[in-house]
Amino acid sequence: MTPPLLQLDDLKAWIEGGSHPVRAVDGVSFTIQKGETYALLGESGCGKSMTALAIMGLLPAPGGRVVDGHIYLDGEDMTRYSEVTMRNIRGNRIAMIFQEPMTSLNPVLTVGDQIGEVLRRHKKLSGNQRQSRILELLDSVGIPDPVNRVREYPHQLSGGMKQRVMIAMALAGEPELLIADEPTTALDVTIQLQVLSLLQDLQEKTGMAILLITHDLGVAAQMADRIGVMYAGQMVEDAGRHLFFNQPAHPYSQKLFRALPDINKRSETLEIISGTVPSLSQDFSGCRFAPRCEQKQDLCITQEPVWRELSDLQGVKCHYPQQKTVSVGTLSNGATTNNTGTDGLLLEVSNLRVHFPVQRGVFRRTVGYVHAVDDLDLSLKKGKTLALVGESGCGKTTVGKGILQLLREYTSGDISFEGQSLDQLKGEQLRKRRSDIQIIFQDPYSSMNPRMRISDIVEEGMLAQDLYPSPDERADRVDELLEQVGLTTDMKCRYPHEFSGGQRQRICIARALALNPKLLVCDEPTSALDVSVQAQILNLLKQLQDSLGLSYLFITHNLSVVAYLAHDVAVMYLGRIVEQGPVEDVLNQPMHPYTRALLSAVPKLDPDRQGEVIRLEGDIPSPINAPSGCHFHPRCPEVMARCRQQYPGMTGDEHYTRCFLYEQQTGGQGIKT
C-alpha cells in the first residue's frame, strides 16, 4: 500500500524555558495524501501554526523541540533528520506560505532576488536560466508585467501581489507539500478569490498536496478535501469535507458553526463560546474543552477522552460525540429587515473629497493628487448601522477620518452632523463636538499606549473633554464602562499586552463609549478575530446600539458581518459610492456589476453550492490616475463604450446605483437596458 505523503503520528512539540513547558502540539495525528488539500481549523492559540512549524523543523529557538511522536514524509521519519538534511527539505520538498507576507519578505531585496535565492539553493540554476525561471514563476502566479515587477521591492506591491510573490517563492522549489498558513486572512474577498483559485490551479497542474491553516470556515469549504479541527494543542475532529459541513460531531466544531453571523440571525444574539482557549502550560485532567462545553458531563471533567472512529471518513476526540446537522450561513434570502422607526438623519455627507498632494523634487512641488475620496455622498440614520464595503485602497478608512475631521487640510465637501456642518467648526467648538463621534480602530493593540494601564486609557478622553471633574467620578465611570463591555473591574490595572485580541477590542469600545458618543466609526473591528471572538464583539455592538441608541458607520470587507449587523450598506470603489441601499435589497438584488462580483467571491459554507463566481482581473487602479469615465470599466465584465467616456449618474432612490446598465425608474427600481 502506498504511504501517505505526510503522516503525523502522536506528535508532541513543546516550548520549554519556564517552570512549565508550553505543550503547543500535544499528541496530534493526521495524514495528507498526494494531491490532497487538508484544512486545519481552530481558534488562535490552538496550535495550528506550531504544528506547521514542527513539520518544517522551524520551532522557535531555543526552547522549541519535538519531544515525542513522528513526522513521516513519503514514509521517511523527518524527526530523525539533522538540521543539514532539513535545509534540503525546506523550500524544496516542503514549502510554506507564511501568514503575513510583508514581514516574511526581505524589505531590502527585490522580488527577483528573493525568488532567485530559492532557485540557486535548491535547483542550482544560475544566470539566464534562473532569470527566465523567475519570470516564468511570476507569470504563473498571475503577476502582470513580470519583467518590471522582478526589480521591485515588497513595499511597492499591494497585499495581493505580496501574497502572490510568497506563492511564487514557495513554488520555486517545486514542492510536494505546500503549507499555507492563513494565506488570505487580511485580504479582500476578490483578492482572496484570486489567491485561492491560483492555489487550486497550481495544485491541479503540479499535483502537490496542500496543508491549509485557516479560521475561515468558508475558505475551508471551498478548498479542502478533508478537515481537521484543533483545540488546545490536540486534534478533536477529523472528517471529510461534506461530512464535516453537514454533520460535525464534536461540540467545539458545532459551536464554531453556530457563532457565524448571517442574515437569518439578524434578530438573534449570536451563540458564543464562553471563556478562552486554556493555557497550554498547565496540566489537564479531563477533556480540554469541558470548561467551555455546554454538553459536558462528570466524566468529561475527570477523564481525558480517547479518539473514536465514527466512520471511515470521520473521527472525534469526545466522550459523547453526536453528529448534528448544522444550518450553514447565508448572505441573502427573501427576508426583509425593519428599517423604520428612526428620528431622522444623524449624518449626511455631500460631495466629500479627500485629495492628498503628490510632491516631488528638492522643492517638494505638487505634481498631482491622490484622489482617495472623490465626490462621495452618503447618509446615516439615528440608531442605525451603515456598512461601508469595498476592496482595500478604495478609500473606506479615509472616509471615516474625513468625517472625524482628522484630515481637514485635504478635505472639502459638506459633512452635516445633527444638522450642523462640521467643516465650519474650529478650535474649541470642534474639540467639544468630537466627543459625539468616536472611532474604533482596526488594530486594537497598536491604537493603545502599551505603557498605560487600562484605567488610564479609558479615562484619557474624559480628562481631555472635562466630562467628570472628580477623580472618584471618573473611576466609577471606568468601572461602569468595563462592565458594560463585558470585562471585570479588576482588569483595569493591567496593561494592553496582558489581554487577548477580543478583550483588547472591548477595551477600545469602552474607551470610545467614555465620551457618550452618538456615532461610532468602526474600522474593520473584527477583521483579525476568530469566529468565536467575532461573535462576542458583534453581540456587544448590537446590545450597545439597542440600549444606548448608537449609530455605527461600519467599515468592513466581511459581507457576512454586513448581512448580520447592518441596516444599510454602501459599496465603494476607487473613492466613490457605486451602490447604496437597505441591506436586504443590496444583498438580494445587487445592481452594480462590482457589487455582484463582491457577493459572488464570498466562499459559501455549503460545499455543494459554491455558485458561479464573477472574477475581477487585476487590482484596483491607482487613485492618482483614475481611469476615465466609470472608474470600474477596466475590470467590468459588462463594460460598454460609453463607460469609458463618462461617469454614470445615479439611478434609483432608496436603493441606488451608478451604472449605465440601468435607467431611472419610479420608486427607485432599476431596469437593465
Side-chain angles (χ1 to χ4, degrees):
M1 183 176 177
T2 305
L5 176 64
L6 181 75
Q7 179 179 350
L8 270 62
D9 184 11
D10 198 29
L11 179 67
K12 295 182 180 180
W14 295 359
I15 312 297
E16 298 175 333
S19 56
H20 297 281
V22 176
R23 300 177 179 90
V25 183
D26 200 12
V28 169
S29 301
F30 64 84
T31 61
I32 303 178
Q33 303 296 331
K34 294 179 180 179
E36 182 182 50
T37 298
Y38 188 92
L40 204 54
L41 301 176
E43 295 172 277
S44 296
C46 283
K48 306 187 300 297
S49 294
M50 282 298 175
T51 301
L53 293 176
I55 294 169
M56 294 288 289
L58 292 174
L59 287 167
R65 65 187 183 94
V66 173
V67 298
D68 199 4
H70 304 277
I71 305 170
Y72 296 103
L73 180 65
D74 231 353
E76 298 181 7
D77 190 354
M78 291 197 298
T79 59
R80 300 178 183 272
Y81 286 171
S82 66
E83 174 59 23
V84 173
T85 305
M86 282 304 300
R87 287 175 187 169
N88 292 324
I89 298 289
R90 287 194 294 263
N92 188 17
R93 298 185 65 188
I94 305 177
M96 186 166 180
I97 304 170
F98 294 92
Q99 182 170 353
E100 178 47 64
M102 191 62 214
T103 57
S104 303
L105 293 171
N106 192 322
V108 299
L109 293 179
T110 65
V111 166
D113 288 339
Q114 297 187 60
I115 299 174
E117 186 178 5
V118 181
L119 295 172
R120 183 174 59 253
R121 174 68 176 80
H122 295 293
K123 297 301 176 184
K124 311 302 181 185
L125 296 182
S126 60
N128 292 334
Q129 282 185 315
R130 186 169 69 233
Q131 193 65 20
S132 297
R133 181 59 177 153
I134 292 170
L135 296 177
E136 184 182 329
L137 284 164
L138 290 176
D139 183 64
S140 70
V141 298
I143 290 183
D145 193 16
V147 175
N148 289 320
R149 293 288 188 182
V150 75
R151 294 190 294 268
E152 293 185 348
Y153 292 87
H155 73 272
Q156 296 176 278
L157 304 177
S158 67
M161 288 290 185
K162 284 195 282 280
Q163 196 63 283
R164 287 167 183 266
V165 170
M166 286 291 298
I167 295 172
M169 288 177 62
L171 294 176
E174 301 175 7
E176 301 167 55
L177 173 66
L178 177 66
I179 301 175
D181 187 2
E182 299 277 11
T184 62
T185 296
L187 301 182
D188 305 308
V189 288
T190 51
I191 305 301
Q192 172 180 271
L193 175 65
Q194 292 176 17
V195 171
L196 296 180
S197 299
L198 172 63
L199 290 176
Q200 287 177 317
D201 292 343
L202 293 170
Q203 184 179 36
E204 188 175 336
K205 291 177 184 176
T206 64
M208 67 182 178
I210 297 176
L211 173 59
L212 177 66
I213 298 171
T214 183
H215 64 252
D216 191 322
L217 290 167
V219 170
Q222 178 179 327
M223 292 285 293
D225 298 300
R226 287 173 47 244
I227 311 289
V229 182
M230 283 191 73
Y231 184 78
Q234 295 185 331
M235 189 72 71
V236 296
E237 184 163 1
D238 184 307
R241 175 177 62 172
H242 289 83
L243 197 52
F244 178 77
F245 282 94
N246 286 297
Q247 290 184 310
H250 197 280
Y252 178 58
S253 304
Q254 295 161 8
K255 272 287 193 180
L256 289 177
F257 278 103
R258 291 199 292 269
L260 290 171
D262 68 73
I263 202 166
N264 295 313
K265 300 176 183 176
R266 289 179 63 87
S267 59
E268 308 170 9
T269 299
L270 293 174
E271 285 202 39
I272 64 171
I273 307 176
S274 59
T276 58
V277 177
S279 169
L280 299 181
S281 61
Q282 64 177 289
D283 294 324
F284 295 95
S285 57
C287 174
R288 299 186 180 189
F289 186 61
R292 307 174 73 188
C293 182
E294 297 172 354
Q295 303 173 34
K296 66 176 178 288
Q297 299 184 31
D298 292 341
L299 183 64
C300 304
I301 299 172
T302 59
Q303 183 176 326
E304 181 177 354
V306 296
W307 186 263
R308 296 170 180 262
E309 295 290 347
L310 303 183
S311 70
D312 292 340
L313 294 175
Q314 189 172 31
V316 66
K317 192 180 181 70
C318 181
H319 288 300
Y320 306 103
Q322 294 181 346
Q323 292 176 308
K324 291 186 178 180
T325 302
V326 295
S327 59
V328 294
T330 57
L331 285 181
S332 59
N333 58 17
T336 59
T337 57
N338 181 14
N339 204 28
T340 61
T342 68
D343 295 323
L345 289 177
L346 177 72
L347 175 73
E348 189 166 17
V349 179
S350 303
N351 304 118
L352 179 65
R353 294 183 179 182
V354 183
H355 294 177
F356 300 102
V358 178
Q359 297 174 328
R360 291 178 184 162
V362 177
F363 298 103
R364 312 302 296 163
R365 291 191 177 93
T366 299
V367 296
Y369 288 89
V370 177
H371 297 80
V373 181
D374 206 19
D375 284 330
L376 179 137
D377 300 323
L378 58 80
S379 58
L380 173 59
K381 299 173 183 176
K382 293 180 180 178
K384 300 296 179 182
T385 299
L386 170 64
L388 190 59
V389 303
E391 295 171 282
S392 295
C394 70
K396 304 187 300 295
T397 298
T398 307
V399 169
K401 291 180 178 179
I403 290 171
L404 287 160
Q405 298 293 294
L406 297 176
L407 303 168
R408 287 172 71 88
E409 64 270 34
Y410 308 118
T411 304
S412 64
D414 184 58
I415 303 170
S416 177
F417 185 80
E418 291 188 317
Q420 184 179 34
S421 183
L422 295 182
D423 56 297
Q424 301 298 318
L425 300 180
K426 296 181 181 179
E428 186 66 15
Q429 285 183 315
L430 177 62
R431 190 177 70 84
K432 288 293 184 185
R433 197 48 155 158
R434 276 197 175 127
S435 64
D436 291 329
I437 311 174
Q438 291 292 295
I439 186 168
I440 302 169
F441 293 96
Q442 181 172 356
D443 184 351
Y445 188 69
S446 62
S447 68
M448 291 188 284
N449 189 328
R451 298 184 178 183
M452 291 176 66
R453 298 181 188 273
I454 298 309
S455 58
D456 298 325
I457 289 172
V458 176
E459 185 185 30
E460 190 175 20
M462 305 180 212
L463 290 169
Q465 294 285 2
D466 298 323
L467 282 185
Y468 300 92
S470 165
D472 291 339
E473 287 180 301
R474 291 195 299 272
D476 290 342
R477 178 62 174 154
V478 168
D479 291 347
E480 179 186 347
L481 288 165
L482 291 177
E483 290 178 349
Q484 197 170 26
V485 299
L487 300 174
T488 58
T489 56
D490 61 351
M491 294 179 175
K492 64 183 178 182
C493 293
R494 300 184 192 173
Y495 292 91
H497 73 272
E498 299 179 81
F499 294 87
S500 67
Q503 288 174 322
R504 284 197 285 262
Q505 198 60 282
R506 289 170 181 265
I507 293 165
C508 288
I509 294 173
R511 176 177 60 183
L513 294 176
L515 300 180
N516 303 313
K518 299 173 183 176
L519 169 64
L520 283 183
V521 177
C522 306
D523 187 7
E524 299 275 13
T526 62
S527 64
L529 302 181
D530 296 315
V531 170
S532 55
V533 181
Q534 173 183 267
Q536 295 173 16
I537 298 301
L538 292 178
N539 284 342
L540 174 61
L541 291 173
K542 199 163 223 183
Q543 171 202 333
L544 292 171
Q545 186 170 59
D546 292 340
S547 60
L548 303 177
L550 291 170
S551 298
Y552 298 136
L553 176 63
F554 201 93
I555 298 168
T556 185
H557 62 252
N558 189 329
L559 294 175
S560 297
V561 171
V562 172
Y564 173 73
L565 189 67
H567 300 91
D568 297 283
V569 58
V571 183
M572 192 172 177
Y573 186 81
L574 206 61
R576 298 185 178 184
I577 301 296
V578 297
E579 184 166 359
Q580 181 171 345
V583 67
E584 66 274 7
D585 291 346
V586 174
L587 296 183
N588 284 312
Q589 297 177 320
M591 298 169 70
H592 199 279
Y594 180 59
T595 309
R596 294 201 292 269
L598 287 179
L599 291 172
S600 76
V602 178
K604 312 299 187 296
L605 281 179
D606 189 340
D608 298 319
R609 297 185 180 180
Q610 289 298 322
E612 183 181 354
V613 174
I614 302 171
R615 300 184 186 277
L616 298 181
E617 298 302 326
D619 292 321
I620 194 168
S622 169
I624 299 176
N625 297 305
S628 59
C630 175
H631 294 344
F632 185 60
H633 84 257
R635 304 172 72 194
C636 182
E638 302 181 66
V639 62
M640 301 179 291
R642 66 186 301 196
C643 303
R644 298 183 175 92
Q645 302 163 1
Q646 179 184 353
Y647 199 88
M650 186 179 77
T651 298
D653 187 7
E654 287 190 3
H655 179 193
Y656 75 81
T657 187
R658 293 182 179 273
C659 182
F660 288 125
L661 291 172
Y662 299 85
E663 63 182 11
Q664 188 73 36
Q665 295 292 317
T666 305
Q669 297 297 315
I671 294 181
K672 201 168 181 177
T673 57

